Amino acid sequence: MNSTMFYTVKKGDSLSGIARRHGTSIEQLQKINRIRNPDRIKEGQVIALKAKAVCKVDVQLLDHERNPMKNAKVRLEYSGKSKQLSSGNNGRLPSIITNTPQDVVKISIARMDGTWKQITEIASDWGNKLVTLVSPKVMIETKTMPHPKGANGKPKPDPGRANKTPVTPPKKPEATDAKGKSHGDYGDGKGPKSEHQNDENGMPITKMTNDQVGLDFLGGYTGAKITEDDYEDAAKQLGCEVAAIKAVAEVETKQRAFDEKNRPTILYERHQFAKHTNPENKYNKINPDISSSIAYTCERKTKGGSVIPNDERYGAYGENQYKRLAKAYSLEKEAALKSCSWGKFQIMGFNYKAAGFNSVLSYVQAMCISEREHLKAFVKLVNADQIEKNALINKDWRRFARKYNGSSYKKNKYDTKLQEAYKKYAN
């Protein structure tokens, strides 16, 4: 912990003495630490010495494709101040520091006509935070083309829309189908592209394309469903009841193993991506929406009541998860694949060895094939951990949830959900 920012109260300390030794005031320490009675501090209590230790707010702007919005003009209003700032190449604004954690920050963005539009407001709250704002539109860089001129040197008259050759829009990406074709929503990972053309009358046309990294591991989907015989065989291998296995599938994905484009259901974990990049946390500063030491949250509000932006929450299974994965995949492929939970049983990519595979890529490719492959991986994963296996056999849902879902299982009530799902299938 930074000793210039924080101080741990020792026996015999007083707030006035701490303030005097660190060149601040009792009132300031009360404000930033939410201390109502300056005469009541406890030994071992950690006190922030400066506002920037707990009241710093960072803002990052991303477009719809999660590309940084650079050079955007933003106005921040807080603590009686108003600052007009421009975002950098990574979409980040310079940091601000509010007076207290209770201060509200109003965020406005400049329109093309120079007026301002307020897009949100947040509470500074306790603890430094990054607010990621995602635009519903794509930001592009292009240039206007000069109007074509005739032989007399004057601009050619516009022949009118009716006489123009219609521009054929780009074909929609081809979705994954049961024949195993890859989903084609993504390109080279460099964001939207602009292409300049002219129609037959010489009028300039700018065509835009949506472009992210290619997910080349997708393909091979067969659509094979898990049969009752498959469940019976898996239960025999594990020594548990069929209802117990079905309960896990129910809680993890509500029985939906693939999406409407025949891609395996995934949940992208940004804190896992940060952990598995080389070095760790490599992209936390420039890509905090997909790489952070802090996991996404299921909650809509913090304890202090401030709204958590949509991009800081998990969100539903589906397209949003694949957009996050595509962005991470353009940075580090293996780390990205390890950072998702895959398929019917939502097995994390970094568990590929326990699931019986030599590489995370081979594991993910198997998850793209069918539900039956998901079940095979689940059996191997549970068989590899005797504690987890015994918990499933004995229907010790608390212990199984802790092993399978981690220490946050209580918060998400995984053990309770597993027990209820088991009762349904057992009956």
Side-chain angles (χ1 to χ4, degrees), residues 277-311:
T277 55
N278 186 21
E280 286 188 30
N281 305 314
K282 181 178 180 180
Y283 302 100
N284 287 17
K285 288 186 177 180
I286 57 174
N287 295 96
D289 61 315
I290 59 166
S291 182
S292 172
S293 57
I294 302 172
Y296 294 114
T297 179
C298 296
E299 298 175 341
R300 291 184 174 273
K301 294 186 178 180
T302 64
K303 291 182 180 179
S306 57
V307 176
I308 297 175
N310 286 328
D311 210 57

PDB file of all heavy atoms in Angstrom, residues 277-311:
ATOM      1  N   THR A 277      -2.548 -12.947 -19.834  1.00  0.00           N
ATOM      2  CA  THR A 277      -1.705 -12.290 -20.837  1.00  0.00           C
ATOM      3  C   THR A 277      -0.253 -12.322 -20.381  1.00  0.00           C
ATOM      4  O   THR A 277       0.040 -12.565 -19.212  1.00  0.00           O
ATOM      5  CB  THR A 277      -2.144 -10.826 -21.069  1.00  0.00           C
ATOM      6  OG1 THR A 277      -2.150 -10.126 -19.812  1.00  0.00           O
ATOM      7  CG2 THR A 277      -3.505 -10.761 -21.715  1.00  0.00           C
ATOM      8  N   ASN A 278       0.648 -12.093 -21.302  1.00  0.00           N
ATOM      9  CA  ASN A 278       2.080 -12.121 -20.988  1.00  0.00           C
ATOM     10  C   ASN A 278       2.711 -10.771 -21.332  1.00  0.00           C
ATOM     11  O   ASN A 278       2.829 -10.419 -22.509  1.00  0.00           O
ATOM     12  CB  ASN A 278       2.762 -13.234 -21.775  1.00  0.00           C
ATOM     13  CG  ASN A 278       4.212 -13.410 -21.398  1.00  0.00           C
ATOM     14  OD1 ASN A 278       4.627 -12.989 -20.317  1.00  0.00           O
ATOM     15  ND2 ASN A 278       5.001 -14.002 -22.284  1.00  0.00           N
ATOM     16  N   PRO A 279       3.111  -9.958 -20.324  1.00  0.00           N
ATOM     17  CA  PRO A 279       2.958 -10.219 -18.888  1.00  0.00           C
ATOM     18  C   PRO A 279       1.525  -9.992 -18.424  1.00  0.00           C
ATOM     19  O   PRO A 279       0.694  -9.494 -19.185  1.00  0.00           O
ATOM     20  CB  PRO A 279       3.903  -9.195 -18.258  1.00  0.00           C
ATOM     21  CG  PRO A 279       3.891  -8.055 -19.232  1.00  0.00           C
ATOM     22  CD  PRO A 279       3.795  -8.682 -20.596  1.00  0.00           C
ATOM     23  N   GLU A 280       1.259 -10.359 -17.175  1.00  0.00           N
ATOM     24  CA  GLU A 280      -0.077 -10.161 -16.616  1.00  0.00           C
ATOM     25  C   GLU A 280      -0.458  -8.686 -16.649  1.00  0.00           C
ATOM     26  O   GLU A 280       0.389  -7.805 -16.542  1.00  0.00           O
ATOM     27  CB  GLU A 280      -0.128 -10.654 -15.160  1.00  0.00           C
ATOM     28  CG  GLU A 280      -0.137 -12.166 -15.016  1.00  0.00           C
ATOM     29  CD  GLU A 280      -0.378 -12.598 -13.591  1.00  0.00           C
ATOM     30  OE1 GLU A 280      -1.075 -11.864 -12.863  1.00  0.00           O
ATOM     31  OE2 GLU A 280       0.112 -13.668 -13.198  1.00  0.00           O
ATOM     32  N   ASN A 281      -1.759  -8.450 -16.825  1.00  0.00           N
ATOM     33  CA  ASN A 281      -2.319  -7.086 -16.803  1.00  0.00           C
ATOM     34  C   ASN A 281      -1.769  -6.188 -17.910  1.00  0.00           C
ATOM     35  O   ASN A 281      -1.821  -4.958 -17.819  1.00  0.00           O
ATOM     36  CB  ASN A 281      -2.079  -6.422 -15.440  1.00  0.00           C
ATOM     37  CG  ASN A 281      -2.606  -7.255 -14.297  1.00  0.00           C
ATOM     38  OD1 ASN A 281      -3.727  -7.756 -14.347  1.00  0.00           O
ATOM     39  ND2 ASN A 281      -1.811  -7.422 -13.251  1.00  0.00           N
ATOM     40  N   LYS A 282      -1.261  -6.797 -18.973  1.00  0.00           N
ATOM     41  CA  LYS A 282      -0.592  -6.055 -20.050  1.00  0.00           C
ATOM     42  C   LYS A 282      -1.509  -5.016 -20.693  1.00  0.00           C
ATOM     43  O   LYS A 282      -1.054  -3.931 -21.088  1.00  0.00           O
ATOM     44  CB  LYS A 282      -0.109  -7.054 -21.101  1.00  0.00           C
ATOM     45  CG  LYS A 282       0.631  -6.451 -22.283  1.00  0.00           C
ATOM     46  CD  LYS A 282       1.101  -7.552 -23.219  1.00  0.00           C
ATOM     47  CE  LYS A 282       1.842  -7.001 -24.425  1.00  0.00           C
ATOM     48  NZ  LYS A 282       2.288  -8.092 -25.332  1.00  0.00           N
ATOM     49  N   TYR A 283      -2.804  -5.341 -20.816  1.00  0.00           N
ATOM     50  CA  TYR A 283      -3.716  -4.460 -21.560  1.00  0.00           C
ATOM     51  C   TYR A 283      -4.698  -3.715 -20.655  1.00  0.00           C
ATOM     52  O   TYR A 283      -5.651  -3.111 -21.142  1.00  0.00           O
ATOM     53  CB  TYR A 283      -4.496  -5.276 -22.597  1.00  0.00           C
ATOM     54  CG  TYR A 283      -3.609  -5.997 -23.573  1.00  0.00           C
ATOM     55  CD1 TYR A 283      -3.328  -7.355 -23.413  1.00  0.00           C
ATOM     56  CD2 TYR A 283      -3.024  -5.331 -24.639  1.00  0.00           C
ATOM     57  CE1 TYR A 283      -2.496  -8.031 -24.301  1.00  0.00           C
ATOM     58  CE2 TYR A 283      -2.195  -5.991 -25.531  1.00  0.00           C
ATOM     59  CZ  TYR A 283      -1.933  -7.337 -25.350  1.00  0.00           C
ATOM     60  OH  TYR A 283      -1.108  -7.996 -26.233  1.00  0.00           O
ATOM     61  N   ASN A 284      -4.462  -3.756 -19.339  1.00  0.00           N
ATOM     62  CA  ASN A 284      -5.418  -3.145 -18.407  1.00  0.00           C
ATOM     63  C   ASN A 284      -5.626  -1.655 -18.654  1.00  0.00           C
ATOM     64  O   ASN A 284      -6.751  -1.154 -18.543  1.00  0.00           O
ATOM     65  CB  ASN A 284      -4.965  -3.356 -16.961  1.00  0.00           C
ATOM     66  CG  ASN A 284      -5.156  -4.785 -16.499  1.00  0.00           C
ATOM     67  OD1 ASN A 284      -5.331  -5.690 -17.308  1.00  0.00           O
ATOM     68  ND2 ASN A 284      -5.121  -5.000 -15.197  1.00  0.00           N
ATOM     69  N   LYS A 285      -4.551  -0.945 -18.986  1.00  0.00           N
ATOM     70  CA  LYS A 285      -4.672   0.504 -19.147  1.00  0.00           C
ATOM     71  C   LYS A 285      -5.299   0.898 -20.475  1.00  0.00           C
ATOM     72  O   LYS A 285      -6.118   1.813 -20.538  1.00  0.00           O
ATOM     73  CB  LYS A 285      -3.293   1.160 -19.009  1.00  0.00           C
ATOM     74  CG  LYS A 285      -2.766   1.152 -17.585  1.00  0.00           C
ATOM     75  CD  LYS A 285      -1.473   1.944 -17.484  1.00  0.00           C
ATOM     76  CE  LYS A 285      -0.978   1.988 -16.035  1.00  0.00           C
ATOM     77  NZ  LYS A 285       0.294   2.760 -15.916  1.00  0.00           N
ATOM     78  N   ILE A 286      -4.904   0.210 -21.549  1.00  0.00           N
ATOM     79  CA  ILE A 286      -5.397   0.634 -22.868  1.00  0.00           C
ATOM     80  C   ILE A 286      -6.701  -0.048 -23.262  1.00  0.00           C
ATOM     81  O   ILE A 286      -7.432   0.449 -24.114  1.00  0.00           O
ATOM     82  CB  ILE A 286      -4.330   0.400 -23.960  1.00  0.00           C
ATOM     83  CG1 ILE A 286      -3.911  -1.071 -24.009  1.00  0.00           C
ATOM     84  CG2 ILE A 286      -3.136   1.287 -23.740  1.00  0.00           C
ATOM     85  CD1 ILE A 286      -2.967  -1.397 -25.143  1.00  0.00           C
ATOM     86  N   ASN A 287      -7.019  -1.201 -22.660  1.00  0.00           N
ATOM     87  CA  ASN A 287      -8.261  -1.902 -22.980  1.00  0.00           C
ATOM     88  C   ASN A 287      -8.975  -2.349 -21.700  1.00  0.00           C
ATOM     89  O   ASN A 287      -9.225  -3.531 -21.495  1.00  0.00           O
ATOM     90  CB  ASN A 287      -7.994  -3.129 -23.854  1.00  0.00           C
ATOM     91  CG  ASN A 287      -7.456  -2.763 -25.215  1.00  0.00           C
ATOM     92  OD1 ASN A 287      -6.260  -2.772 -25.436  1.00  0.00           O
ATOM     93  ND2 ASN A 287      -8.345  -2.431 -26.133  1.00  0.00           N
ATOM     94  N   PRO A 288      -9.314  -1.413 -20.802  1.00  0.00           N
ATOM     95  CA  PRO A 288      -9.898  -1.809 -19.513  1.00  0.00           C
ATOM     96  C   PRO A 288     -11.275  -2.441 -19.618  1.00  0.00           C
ATOM     97  O   PRO A 288     -11.722  -3.087 -18.672  1.00  0.00           O
ATOM     98  CB  PRO A 288      -9.966  -0.485 -18.742  1.00  0.00           C
ATOM     99  CG  PRO A 288     -10.025   0.565 -19.807  1.00  0.00           C
ATOM    100  CD  PRO A 288      -9.173   0.040 -20.920  1.00  0.00           C
ATOM    101  N   ASP A 289     -11.951  -2.262 -20.756  1.00  0.00           N
ATOM    102  CA  ASP A 289     -13.268  -2.893 -20.892  1.00  0.00           C
ATOM    103  C   ASP A 289     -13.155  -4.398 -21.087  1.00  0.00           C
ATOM    104  O   ASP A 289     -14.091  -5.139 -20.800  1.00  0.00           O
ATOM    105  CB  ASP A 289     -14.052  -2.283 -22.059  1.00  0.00           C
ATOM    106  CG  ASP A 289     -13.349  -2.470 -23.395  1.00  0.00           C
ATOM    107  OD1 ASP A 289     -12.122  -2.235 -23.450  1.00  0.00           O
ATOM    108  OD2 ASP A 289     -14.010  -2.846 -24.374  1.00  0.00           O
ATOM    109  N   ILE A 290     -11.985  -4.887 -21.561  1.00  0.00           N
ATOM    110  CA  ILE A 290     -11.820  -6.330 -21.757  1.00  0.00           C
ATOM    111  C   ILE A 290     -10.645  -6.899 -20.976  1.00  0.00           C
ATOM    112  O   ILE A 290     -10.414  -8.100 -20.989  1.00  0.00           O
ATOM    113  CB  ILE A 290     -11.637  -6.683 -23.252  1.00  0.00           C
ATOM    114  CG1 ILE A 290     -10.412  -5.960 -23.828  1.00  0.00           C
ATOM    115  CG2 ILE A 290     -12.906  -6.388 -24.043  1.00  0.00           C
ATOM    116  CD1 ILE A 290      -9.974  -6.495 -25.168  1.00  0.00           C
ATOM    117  N   SER A 291      -9.896  -6.043 -20.257  1.00  0.00           N
ATOM    118  CA  SER A 291      -8.754  -6.518 -19.471  1.00  0.00           C
ATOM    119  C   SER A 291      -8.670  -5.692 -18.195  1.00  0.00           C
ATOM    120  O   SER A 291      -8.396  -4.496 -18.232  1.00  0.00           O
ATOM    121  CB  SER A 291      -7.455  -6.383 -20.275  1.00  0.00           C
ATOM    122  OG  SER A 291      -6.359  -6.889 -19.529  1.00  0.00           O
ATOM    123  N   SER A 292      -8.903  -6.353 -17.058  1.00  0.00           N
ATOM    124  CA  SER A 292      -8.919  -5.637 -15.789  1.00  0.00           C
ATOM    125  C   SER A 292      -8.711  -6.624 -14.654  1.00  0.00           C
ATOM    126  O   SER A 292      -9.080  -7.798 -14.756  1.00  0.00           O
ATOM    127  CB  SER A 292     -10.256  -4.902 -15.608  1.00  0.00           C
ATOM    128  OG  SER A 292     -10.356  -4.353 -14.314  1.00  0.00           O
ATOM    129  N   SER A 293      -8.128  -6.147 -13.572  1.00  0.00           N
ATOM    130  CA  SER A 293      -7.988  -6.996 -12.391  1.00  0.00           C
ATOM    131  C   SER A 293      -9.313  -7.135 -11.659  1.00  0.00           C
ATOM    132  O   SER A 293      -9.462  -7.969 -10.774  1.00  0.00           O
ATOM    133  CB  SER A 293      -6.939  -6.405 -11.447  1.00  0.00           C
ATOM    134  OG  SER A 293      -7.286  -5.074 -11.091  1.00  0.00           O
ATOM    135  N   ILE A 294     -10.286  -6.320 -12.054  1.00  0.00           N
ATOM    136  CA  ILE A 294     -11.620  -6.363 -11.445  1.00  0.00           C
ATOM    137  C   ILE A 294     -12.574  -7.084 -12.384  1.00  0.00           C
ATOM    138  O   ILE A 294     -12.693  -6.739 -13.563  1.00  0.00           O
ATOM    139  CB  ILE A 294     -12.138  -4.947 -11.161  1.00  0.00           C
ATOM    140  CG1 ILE A 294     -11.160  -4.205 -10.234  1.00  0.00           C
ATOM    141  CG2 ILE A 294     -13.528  -4.992 -10.537  1.00  0.00           C
ATOM    142  CD1 ILE A 294     -11.491  -2.748 -10.056  1.00  0.00           C
ATOM    143  N   ALA A 295     -13.268  -8.083 -11.883  1.00  0.00           N
ATOM    144  CA  ALA A 295     -14.209  -8.846 -12.705  1.00  0.00           C
ATOM    145  C   ALA A 295     -15.441  -8.020 -13.035  1.00  0.00           C
ATOM    146  O   ALA A 295     -15.753  -7.031 -12.365  1.00  0.00           O
ATOM    147  CB  ALA A 295     -14.623 -10.121 -11.969  1.00  0.00           C
ATOM    148  N   TYR A 296     -16.149  -8.413 -14.098  1.00  0.00           N
ATOM    149  CA  TYR A 296     -17.450  -7.817 -14.374  1.00  0.00           C
ATOM    150  C   TYR A 296     -18.379  -8.108 -13.200  1.00  0.00           C
ATOM    151  O   TYR A 296     -18.151  -9.024 -12.413  1.00  0.00           O
ATOM    152  CB  TYR A 296     -18.063  -8.410 -15.645  1.00  0.00           C
ATOM    153  CG  TYR A 296     -17.328  -8.105 -16.915  1.00  0.00           C
ATOM    154  CD1 TYR A 296     -16.712  -9.125 -17.641  1.00  0.00           C
ATOM    155  CD2 TYR A 296     -17.240  -6.812 -17.414  1.00  0.00           C
ATOM    156  CE1 TYR A 296     -16.025  -8.864 -18.819  1.00  0.00           C
ATOM    157  CE2 TYR A 296     -16.567  -6.547 -18.598  1.00  0.00           C
ATOM    158  CZ  TYR A 296     -15.955  -7.571 -19.288  1.00  0.00           C
ATOM    159  OH  TYR A 296     -15.287  -7.309 -20.453  1.00  0.00           O
ATOM    160  N   THR A 297     -19.428  -7.340 -13.083  1.00  0.00           N
ATOM    161  CA  THR A 297     -20.374  -7.534 -11.997  1.00  0.00           C
ATOM    162  C   THR A 297     -21.762  -7.828 -12.541  1.00  0.00           C
ATOM    163  O   THR A 297     -22.111  -7.411 -13.652  1.00  0.00           O
ATOM    164  CB  THR A 297     -20.438  -6.293 -11.087  1.00  0.00           C
ATOM    165  OG1 THR A 297     -21.392  -6.509 -10.050  1.00  0.00           O
ATOM    166  CG2 THR A 297     -20.839  -5.046 -11.867  1.00  0.00           C
ATOM    167  N   CYS A 298     -22.551  -8.544 -11.770  1.00  0.00           N
ATOM    168  CA  CYS A 298     -23.942  -8.805 -12.144  1.00  0.00           C
ATOM    169  C   CYS A 298     -24.855  -7.688 -11.654  1.00  0.00           C
ATOM    170  O   CYS A 298     -25.994  -7.580 -12.085  1.00  0.00           O
ATOM    171  CB  CYS A 298     -24.422 -10.128 -11.542  1.00  0.00           C
ATOM    172  SG  CYS A 298     -23.539 -11.567 -12.161  1.00  0.00           S
ATOM    173  N   GLU A 299     -24.338  -6.855 -10.725  1.00  0.00           N
ATOM    174  CA  GLU A 299     -25.168  -5.827 -10.109  1.00  0.00           C
ATOM    175  C   GLU A 299     -25.276  -4.602 -11.002  1.00  0.00           C
ATOM    176  O   GLU A 299     -24.383  -4.289 -11.777  1.00  0.00           O
ATOM    177  CB  GLU A 299     -24.582  -5.434  -8.755  1.00  0.00           C
ATOM    178  CG  GLU A 299     -24.545  -6.589  -7.763  1.00  0.00           C
ATOM    179  CD  GLU A 299     -23.845  -6.210  -6.480  1.00  0.00           C
ATOM    180  OE1 GLU A 299     -23.091  -5.210  -6.492  1.00  0.00           O
ATOM    181  OE2 GLU A 299     -24.035  -6.917  -5.490  1.00  0.00           O
ATOM    182  N   ARG A 300     -26.371  -3.886 -10.844  1.00  0.00           N
ATOM    183  CA  ARG A 300     -26.578  -2.659 -11.601  1.00  0.00           C
ATOM    184  C   ARG A 300     -26.088  -1.435 -10.834  1.00  0.00           C
ATOM    185  O   ARG A 300     -25.862  -0.398 -11.418  1.00  0.00           O
ATOM    186  CB  ARG A 300     -28.061  -2.478 -11.951  1.00  0.00           C
ATOM    187  CG  ARG A 300     -28.534  -3.504 -12.973  1.00  0.00           C
ATOM    188  CD  ARG A 300     -29.977  -3.246 -13.385  1.00  0.00           C
ATOM    189  NE  ARG A 300     -30.369  -4.152 -14.456  1.00  0.00           N
ATOM    190  CZ  ARG A 300     -30.168  -3.915 -15.739  1.00  0.00           C
ATOM    191  NH1 ARG A 300     -29.574  -2.806 -16.117  1.00  0.00           N
ATOM    192  NH2 ARG A 300     -30.545  -4.773 -16.645  1.00  0.00           N
ATOM    193  N   LYS A 301     -25.972  -1.554  -9.504  1.00  0.00           N
ATOM    194  CA  LYS A 301     -25.549  -0.417  -8.697  1.00  0.00           C
ATOM    195  C   LYS A 301     -24.525  -0.857  -7.662  1.00  0.00           C
ATOM    196  O   LYS A 301     -24.522  -1.987  -7.218  1.00  0.00           O
ATOM    197  CB  LYS A 301     -26.739   0.234  -8.001  1.00  0.00           C
ATOM    198  CG  LYS A 301     -27.731   0.893  -8.950  1.00  0.00           C
ATOM    199  CD  LYS A 301     -28.796   1.643  -8.197  1.00  0.00           C
ATOM    200  CE  LYS A 301     -29.760   2.353  -9.154  1.00  0.00           C
ATOM    201  NZ  LYS A 301     -30.805   3.100  -8.436  1.00  0.00           N
ATOM    202  N   THR A 302     -23.662   0.077  -7.287  1.00  0.00           N
ATOM    203  CA  THR A 302     -22.727  -0.186  -6.217  1.00  0.00           C
ATOM    204  C   THR A 302     -23.433  -0.032  -4.886  1.00  0.00           C
ATOM    205  O   THR A 302     -24.584   0.395  -4.816  1.00  0.00           O
ATOM    206  CB  THR A 302     -21.550   0.807  -6.263  1.00  0.00           C
ATOM    207  OG1 THR A 302     -22.060   2.123  -6.019  1.00  0.00           O
ATOM    208  CG2 THR A 302     -20.855   0.773  -7.599  1.00  0.00           C
ATOM    209  N   LYS A 303     -22.734  -0.348  -3.812  1.00  0.00           N
ATOM    210  CA  LYS A 303     -23.317  -0.181  -2.482  1.00  0.00           C
ATOM    211  C   LYS A 303     -23.654   1.278  -2.218  1.00  0.00           C
ATOM    212  O   LYS A 303     -24.591   1.591  -1.505  1.00  0.00           O
ATOM    213  CB  LYS A 303     -22.357  -0.711  -1.422  1.00  0.00           C
ATOM    214  CG  LYS A 303     -22.196  -2.232  -1.444  1.00  0.00           C
ATOM    215  CD  LYS A 303     -21.266  -2.695  -0.351  1.00  0.00           C
ATOM    216  CE  LYS A 303     -21.125  -4.223  -0.384  1.00  0.00           C
ATOM    217  NZ  LYS A 303     -20.188  -4.707   0.666  1.00  0.00           N
ATOM    218  N   GLY A 304     -22.872   2.176  -2.800  1.00  0.00           N
ATOM    219  CA  GLY A 304     -23.134   3.595  -2.615  1.00  0.00           C
ATOM    220  C   GLY A 304     -24.291   4.112  -3.442  1.00  0.00           C
ATOM    221  O   GLY A 304     -24.686   5.260  -3.312  1.00  0.00           O
ATOM    222  N   GLY A 305     -24.832   3.275  -4.327  1.00  0.00           N
ATOM    223  CA  GLY A 305     -25.990   3.667  -5.116  1.00  0.00           C
ATOM    224  C   GLY A 305     -25.663   4.220  -6.481  1.00  0.00           C
ATOM    225  O   GLY A 305     -26.565   4.541  -7.253  1.00  0.00           O
ATOM    226  N   SER A 306     -24.374   4.362  -6.831  1.00  0.00           N
ATOM    227  CA  SER A 306     -24.046   4.888  -8.151  1.00  0.00           C
ATOM    228  C   SER A 306     -24.222   3.796  -9.206  1.00  0.00           C
ATOM    229  O   SER A 306     -24.001   2.619  -8.948  1.00  0.00           O
ATOM    230  CB  SER A 306     -22.593   5.399  -8.178  1.00  0.00           C
ATOM    231  OG  SER A 306     -21.704   4.372  -7.816  1.00  0.00           O
ATOM    232  N   VAL A 307     -24.645   4.211 -10.392  1.00  0.00           N
ATOM    233  CA  VAL A 307     -24.942   3.265 -11.463  1.00  0.00           C
ATOM    234  C   VAL A 307     -23.658   2.737 -12.079  1.00  0.00           C
ATOM    235  O   VAL A 307     -22.737   3.492 -12.366  1.00  0.00           O
ATOM    236  CB  VAL A 307     -25.815   3.934 -12.550  1.00  0.00           C
ATOM    237  CG1 VAL A 307     -26.045   2.986 -13.711  1.00  0.00           C
ATOM    238  CG2 VAL A 307     -27.138   4.377 -11.960  1.00  0.00           C
ATOM    239  N   ILE A 308     -23.589   1.429 -12.273  1.00  0.00           N
ATOM    240  CA  ILE A 308     -22.455   0.818 -12.956  1.00  0.00           C
ATOM    241  C   ILE A 308     -22.752   0.814 -14.456  1.00  0.00           C
ATOM    242  O   ILE A 308     -23.804   0.328 -14.875  1.00  0.00           O
ATOM    243  CB  ILE A 308     -22.235  -0.625 -12.474  1.00  0.00           C
ATOM    244  CG1 ILE A 308     -21.875  -0.620 -10.981  1.00  0.00           C
ATOM    245  CG2 ILE A 308     -21.139  -1.302 -13.274  1.00  0.00           C
ATOM    246  CD1 ILE A 308     -21.766  -1.996 -10.389  1.00  0.00           C
ATOM    247  N   PRO A 309     -21.870   1.370 -15.298  1.00  0.00           N
ATOM    248  CA  PRO A 309     -22.125   1.383 -16.747  1.00  0.00           C
ATOM    249  C   PRO A 309     -22.325  -0.038 -17.282  1.00  0.00           C
ATOM    250  O   PRO A 309     -21.787  -1.011 -16.748  1.00  0.00           O
ATOM    251  CB  PRO A 309     -20.850   2.006 -17.322  1.00  0.00           C
ATOM    252  CG  PRO A 309     -20.269   2.792 -16.196  1.00  0.00           C
ATOM    253  CD  PRO A 309     -20.612   2.031 -14.949  1.00  0.00           C
ATOM    254  N   ASN A 310     -23.123  -0.155 -18.342  1.00  0.00           N
ATOM    255  CA  ASN A 310     -23.418  -1.467 -18.926  1.00  0.00           C
ATOM    256  C   ASN A 310     -22.159  -2.251 -19.234  1.00  0.00           C
ATOM    257  O   ASN A 310     -22.117  -3.465 -19.076  1.00  0.00           O
ATOM    258  CB  ASN A 310     -24.242  -1.302 -20.212  1.00  0.00           C
ATOM    259  CG  ASN A 310     -25.673  -0.922 -19.917  1.00  0.00           C
ATOM    260  OD1 ASN A 310     -26.221  -1.320 -18.896  1.00  0.00           O
ATOM    261  ND2 ASN A 310     -26.280  -0.152 -20.794  1.00  0.00           N
ATOM    262  N   ASP A 311     -21.126  -1.548 -19.682  1.00  0.00           N
ATOM    263  CA  ASP A 311     -19.917  -2.246 -20.110  1.00  0.00           C
ATOM    264  C   ASP A 311     -19.120  -2.823 -18.953  1.00  0.00           C
ATOM    265  O   ASP A 311     -18.224  -3.622 -19.159  1.00  0.00           O
ATOM    266  CB  ASP A 311     -19.027  -1.297 -20.911  1.00  0.00           C
ATOM    267  CG  ASP A 311     -18.205  -2.051 -21.936  1.00  0.00           C
ATOM    268  OD1 ASP A 311     -18.816  -2.747 -22.756  1.00  0.00           O
ATOM    269  OD2 ASP A 311     -16.976  -1.960 -21.888  1.00  0.00           O
TER     270      ASP A 311
END
